[in-house]
Amino acid sequence: MRDQLICNLVELKFDPGEDAQAMSFSGYGAVFGNVDSHGDVIEPGAFSKFLADVKAGSQPWPAMLSQHGGWQMSAEDMTPIGVWTDFAEDGHGLKVTGQLADTPRGREMHALMKMAPRPAIDGMSIGYIAKEFEPRSKPEDPKRRLKRIDLIEVSLVTRPANTKARVG
């Protein structure tokens, strides 16, 4: 005799509940108007075309990495630590919302972000392709004014190039 289970499921829903919400976060992946450590300034509107393309499905969503994928020496370095659930530009910069994966690395990043008396990690940084920019015309100008950017990834980092790009 054979054991048999017949299930006629019509619909199955998953409610992530409070655990999933606990590993959600938001912040700014980039901030407009300030000079970053590479001498670049991101102009308002720089992400608008890319974000419209992502939402239309003609561009892939940027990856969520830790430290820009480290040295990219292993598959683990380039394995995402979660997913971005929303991107939007506002007057301050690139507002991002994400969900960390329920994996050892995702839980580790969550723990580091929630440490007291201060987070051990709360910086964000972007990996991108500068599609349109204005180069420096005077010595006192920033190296580049970035006018249009395509994102490759947005990372949680210890030391962001744009010091105002933070979780929270």
Side-chain angles (χ1 to χ4, degrees):
M1 181 167 203
R2 201 167 50 163
D3 289 335
Q4 189 173 5
L5 175 65
I6 299 172
C7 292
N8 292 322
L9 291 177
V10 174
E11 186 174 346
L12 183 63
K13 293 183 180 182
F14 173 71
D15 179 6
E18 289 183 28
D19 290 343
Q21 296 303 319
M23 292 195 11
S24 293
F25 68 98
S26 63
Y28 285 90
V31 175
F32 299 138
N34 66 313
V35 179
D36 70 19
S37 65
H38 301 289
D40 292 334
V41 171
I42 300 173
E43 297 289 327
F47 301 102
S48 60
K49 181 176 181 340
F50 176 78
L51 296 180
D53 289 348
V54 165
K55 291 179 180 179
S58 60
Q59 283 272 20
W61 280 78
M64 180 192 293
L65 299 177
S66 170
Q67 311 290 355
H68 295 296
W71 293 101
Q72 301 178 13
M73 300 291 281
S74 71
E76 184 180 49
D77 289 338
M78 292 305 294
T79 300
I81 58 170
V83 295
W84 296 110
T85 57
D86 193 39
F87 285 95
E89 275 196 33
D90 64 17
H92 187 66
L94 177 67
K95 176 102 172 147
V96 298
T97 303
Q99 175 73 45
L100 291 165
D102 188 12
T103 61
R105 291 178 65 232
R107 289 188 299 275
E108 175 185 40
M109 291 306 288
H110 182 256
L112 292 169
M113 290 166 58
K114 298 296 180 190
M115 287 186 74
R118 75 196 65 74
I121 191 164
D122 70 346
M124 284 201 263
S125 189
I126 58 174
Y128 61 89
I129 298 168
K131 294 295 202 168
E132 185 182 325
F133 61 90
E134 180 182 302
R136 177 185 333 222
S137 60
K138 296 181 276 188
E140 63 273 11
D141 286 348
K143 182 176 139 188
R144 298 184 298 180
R145 290 194 176 279
L146 302 171
K147 302 203 175 269
R148 190 164 71 86
I149 293 173
D150 282 0
L151 292 169
I152 305 299
E153 52 89 11
V154 181
S155 286
L156 290 169
V157 297
T158 306
R159 300 201 188 296
N162 185 327
T163 57
K164 295 181 178 181
R166 299 286 173 176
V167 173

